[in-house]
PDB file of all heavy atoms in Angstrom:
ATOM      1  N   LEU A  84      29.989   9.306   1.795  1.00  0.00           N
ATOM      2  CA  LEU A  84      30.097  10.711   2.274  1.00  0.00           C
ATOM      3  C   LEU A  84      30.945  10.890   3.540  1.00  0.00           C
ATOM      4  O   LEU A  84      31.082  11.974   4.030  1.00  0.00           O
ATOM      5  CB  LEU A  84      28.725  11.292   2.474  1.00  0.00           C
ATOM      6  CG  LEU A  84      27.866  11.298   1.273  1.00  0.00           C
ATOM      7  CD1 LEU A  84      26.441  11.803   1.581  1.00  0.00           C
ATOM      8  CD2 LEU A  84      28.412  12.239   0.193  1.00  0.00           C
ATOM      9  N   ALA A  85      31.472   9.822   4.067  1.00  0.00           N
ATOM     10  CA  ALA A  85      32.277   9.939   5.270  1.00  0.00           C
ATOM     11  C   ALA A  85      33.342   8.871   5.235  1.00  0.00           C
ATOM     12  O   ALA A  85      33.041   7.752   4.718  1.00  0.00           O
ATOM     13  CB  ALA A  85      31.375   9.806   6.531  1.00  0.00           C
ATOM     14  N   ALA A  86      34.453   9.170   5.777  1.00  0.00           N
ATOM     15  CA  ALA A  86      35.575   8.172   5.817  1.00  0.00           C
ATOM     16  C   ALA A  86      35.169   6.907   6.551  1.00  0.00           C
ATOM     17  O   ALA A  86      35.563   5.807   6.206  1.00  0.00           O
ATOM     18  CB  ALA A  86      36.782   8.763   6.441  1.00  0.00           C
ATOM     19  N   ASP A  87      34.279   7.068   7.575  1.00  0.00           N
ATOM     20  CA  ASP A  87      33.926   5.877   8.337  1.00  0.00           C
ATOM     21  C   ASP A  87      32.739   5.123   7.685  1.00  0.00           C
ATOM     22  O   ASP A  87      32.275   4.112   8.227  1.00  0.00           O
ATOM     23  CB  ASP A  87      33.658   6.183   9.807  1.00  0.00           C
ATOM     24  CG  ASP A  87      32.540   7.179   9.939  1.00  0.00           C
ATOM     25  OD1 ASP A  87      32.107   7.757   8.929  1.00  0.00           O
ATOM     26  OD2 ASP A  87      32.121   7.481  11.067  1.00  0.00           O
ATOM     27  N   GLN A  88      32.213   5.638   6.586  1.00  0.00           N
ATOM     28  CA  GLN A  88      31.205   4.847   5.873  1.00  0.00           C
ATOM     29  C   GLN A  88      31.939   3.824   5.027  1.00  0.00           C
ATOM     30  O   GLN A  88      32.764   4.162   4.207  1.00  0.00           O
ATOM     31  CB  GLN A  88      30.353   5.785   4.986  1.00  0.00           C
ATOM     32  CG  GLN A  88      29.267   5.067   4.240  1.00  0.00           C
ATOM     33  CD  GLN A  88      28.611   5.904   3.135  1.00  0.00           C
ATOM     34  OE1 GLN A  88      28.683   7.122   3.122  1.00  0.00           O
ATOM     35  NE2 GLN A  88      28.012   5.237   2.183  1.00  0.00           N
ATOM     36  N   PRO A  89      31.695   2.555   5.219  1.00  0.00           N
ATOM     37  CA  PRO A  89      32.450   1.542   4.481  1.00  0.00           C
ATOM     38  C   PRO A  89      32.197   1.696   2.989  1.00  0.00           C
ATOM     39  O   PRO A  89      31.154   2.080   2.522  1.00  0.00           O
ATOM     40  CB  PRO A  89      31.853   0.204   5.015  1.00  0.00           C
ATOM     41  CG  PRO A  89      30.627   0.566   5.699  1.00  0.00           C
ATOM     42  CD  PRO A  89      30.667   1.953   6.107  1.00  0.00           C
ATOM     43  N   LYS A  90      33.289   1.348   2.239  1.00  0.00           N
ATOM     44  CA  LYS A  90      33.216   1.436   0.799  1.00  0.00           C
ATOM     45  C   LYS A  90      32.479   0.169   0.301  1.00  0.00           C
ATOM     46  O   LYS A  90      32.733  -0.962   0.773  1.00  0.00           O
ATOM     47  CB  LYS A  90      34.629   1.396   0.228  1.00  0.00           C
ATOM     48  CG  LYS A  90      34.840   2.030  -1.090  1.00  0.00           C
ATOM     49  CD  LYS A  90      36.336   2.386  -1.296  1.00  0.00           C
ATOM     50  CE  LYS A  90      36.567   3.060  -2.626  1.00  0.00           C
ATOM     51  NZ  LYS A  90      36.455   2.169  -3.780  1.00  0.00           N
ATOM     52  N   GLU A  91      31.518   0.372  -0.644  1.00  0.00           N
ATOM     53  CA  GLU A  91      30.838  -0.781  -1.189  1.00  0.00           C
ATOM     54  C   GLU A  91      31.798  -1.601  -2.069  1.00  0.00           C
ATOM     55  O   GLU A  91      32.622  -1.016  -2.800  1.00  0.00           O
ATOM     56  CB  GLU A  91      29.623  -0.339  -2.040  1.00  0.00           C
ATOM     57  CG  GLU A  91      28.547   0.393  -1.275  1.00  0.00           C
ATOM     58  CD  GLU A  91      27.837  -0.457  -0.197  1.00  0.00           C
ATOM     59  OE1 GLU A  91      28.054  -1.657  -0.215  1.00  0.00           O
ATOM     60  OE2 GLU A  91      27.077   0.102   0.562  1.00  0.00           O
ATOM     61  N   GLN A  92      31.675  -2.898  -2.009  1.00  0.00           N
ATOM     62  CA  GLN A  92      32.451  -3.778  -2.886  1.00  0.00           C
ATOM     63  C   GLN A  92      31.495  -4.668  -3.613  1.00  0.00           C
ATOM     64  O   GLN A  92      31.078  -5.713  -3.119  1.00  0.00           O
ATOM     65  CB  GLN A  92      33.445  -4.595  -2.087  1.00  0.00           C
ATOM     66  CG  GLN A  92      34.689  -3.809  -1.752  1.00  0.00           C
ATOM     67  CD  GLN A  92      35.541  -4.459  -0.706  1.00  0.00           C
ATOM     68  OE1 GLN A  92      35.012  -5.068   0.269  1.00  0.00           O
ATOM     69  NE2 GLN A  92      36.831  -4.419  -0.824  1.00  0.00           N
ATOM     70  N   LEU A  93      31.079  -4.237  -4.789  1.00  0.00           N
ATOM     71  CA  LEU A  93      30.024  -4.920  -5.510  1.00  0.00           C
ATOM     72  C   LEU A  93      30.599  -5.626  -6.739  1.00  0.00           C
ATOM     73  O   LEU A  93      31.534  -5.068  -7.388  1.00  0.00           O
ATOM     74  CB  LEU A  93      28.920  -3.933  -5.889  1.00  0.00           C
ATOM     75  CG  LEU A  93      28.273  -3.248  -4.706  1.00  0.00           C
ATOM     76  CD1 LEU A  93      27.299  -2.156  -5.179  1.00  0.00           C
ATOM     77  CD2 LEU A  93      27.499  -4.244  -3.811  1.00  0.00           C
ATOM     78  N   ASN A  94      29.957  -6.683  -7.187  1.00  0.00           N
ATOM     79  CA  ASN A  94      30.349  -7.364  -8.360  1.00  0.00           C
ATOM     80  C   ASN A  94      29.713  -6.807  -9.634  1.00  0.00           C
ATOM     81  O   ASN A  94      30.144  -7.122 -10.726  1.00  0.00           O
ATOM     82  CB  ASN A  94      29.956  -8.857  -8.247  1.00  0.00           C
ATOM     83  CG  ASN A  94      30.751  -9.570  -7.145  1.00  0.00           C
ATOM     84  OD1 ASN A  94      31.930  -9.724  -7.249  1.00  0.00           O
ATOM     85  ND2 ASN A  94      30.003  -9.942  -6.133  1.00  0.00           N
ATOM     86  N   TYR A  95      28.664  -6.027  -9.443  1.00  0.00           N
ATOM     87  CA  TYR A  95      27.873  -5.611 -10.594  1.00  0.00           C
ATOM     88  C   TYR A  95      27.580  -4.094 -10.464  1.00  0.00           C
ATOM     89  O   TYR A  95      27.569  -3.494  -9.444  1.00  0.00           O
ATOM     90  CB  TYR A  95      26.532  -6.366 -10.607  1.00  0.00           C
ATOM     91  CG  TYR A  95      26.694  -7.826 -10.823  1.00  0.00           C
ATOM     92  CD1 TYR A  95      26.441  -8.699  -9.705  1.00  0.00           C
ATOM     93  CD2 TYR A  95      27.102  -8.401 -12.038  1.00  0.00           C
ATOM     94  CE1 TYR A  95      26.598 -10.083  -9.845  1.00  0.00           C
ATOM     95  CE2 TYR A  95      27.250  -9.746 -12.161  1.00  0.00           C
ATOM     96  CZ  TYR A  95      26.974 -10.598 -11.092  1.00  0.00           C
ATOM     97  OH  TYR A  95      27.155 -11.980 -11.229  1.00  0.00           O
ATOM     98  N   ASP A  96      27.230  -3.536 -11.649  1.00  0.00           N
ATOM     99  CA  ASP A  96      26.593  -2.241 -11.714  1.00  0.00           C
ATOM    100  C   ASP A  96      25.095  -2.494 -11.570  1.00  0.00           C
ATOM    101  O   ASP A  96      24.655  -3.651 -11.744  1.00  0.00           O
ATOM    102  CB  ASP A  96      26.856  -1.528 -13.048  1.00  0.00           C
ATOM    103  CG  ASP A  96      28.347  -1.353 -13.299  1.00  0.00           C
ATOM    104  OD1 ASP A  96      29.114  -1.256 -12.339  1.00  0.00           O
ATOM    105  OD2 ASP A  96      28.735  -1.228 -14.483  1.00  0.00           O
ATOM    106  N   TYR A  97      24.335  -1.442 -11.336  1.00  0.00           N
ATOM    107  CA  TYR A  97      22.905  -1.661 -11.151  1.00  0.00           C
ATOM    108  C   TYR A  97      22.039  -0.743 -11.992  1.00  0.00           C
ATOM    109  O   TYR A  97      22.363   0.466 -12.187  1.00  0.00           O
ATOM    110  CB  TYR A  97      22.510  -1.525  -9.636  1.00  0.00           C
ATOM    111  CG  TYR A  97      22.882  -2.794  -8.913  1.00  0.00           C
ATOM    112  CD1 TYR A  97      24.178  -2.976  -8.444  1.00  0.00           C
ATOM    113  CD2 TYR A  97      21.995  -3.819  -8.855  1.00  0.00           C
ATOM    114  CE1 TYR A  97      24.560  -4.163  -7.866  1.00  0.00           C
ATOM    115  CE2 TYR A  97      22.344  -5.060  -8.234  1.00  0.00           C
ATOM    116  CZ  TYR A  97      23.657  -5.219  -7.779  1.00  0.00           C
ATOM    117  OH  TYR A  97      24.015  -6.405  -7.204  1.00  0.00           O
ATOM    118  N   LEU A  98      21.029  -1.279 -12.524  1.00  0.00           N
ATOM    119  CA  LEU A  98      20.044  -0.542 -13.377  1.00  0.00           C
ATOM    120  C   LEU A  98      18.757  -0.383 -12.528  1.00  0.00           C
ATOM    121  O   LEU A  98      18.182  -1.372 -12.088  1.00  0.00           O
ATOM    122  CB  LEU A  98      19.719  -1.325 -14.637  1.00  0.00           C
ATOM    123  CG  LEU A  98      18.689  -0.698 -15.551  1.00  0.00           C
ATOM    124  CD1 LEU A  98      19.160   0.611 -16.098  1.00  0.00           C
ATOM    125  CD2 LEU A  98      18.414  -1.680 -16.745  1.00  0.00           C
TER     126      LEU A  98
END
Side-chain angles (χ1 to χ4, degrees):
Chain A
L84 299 175
D87 59 351
Q88 181 191 339
K90 207 162 181 285
E91 297 294 351
Q92 277 166 324
L93 301 172
N94 294 294
Y95 299 107
D96 300 335
Y97 282 85
L98 177 63

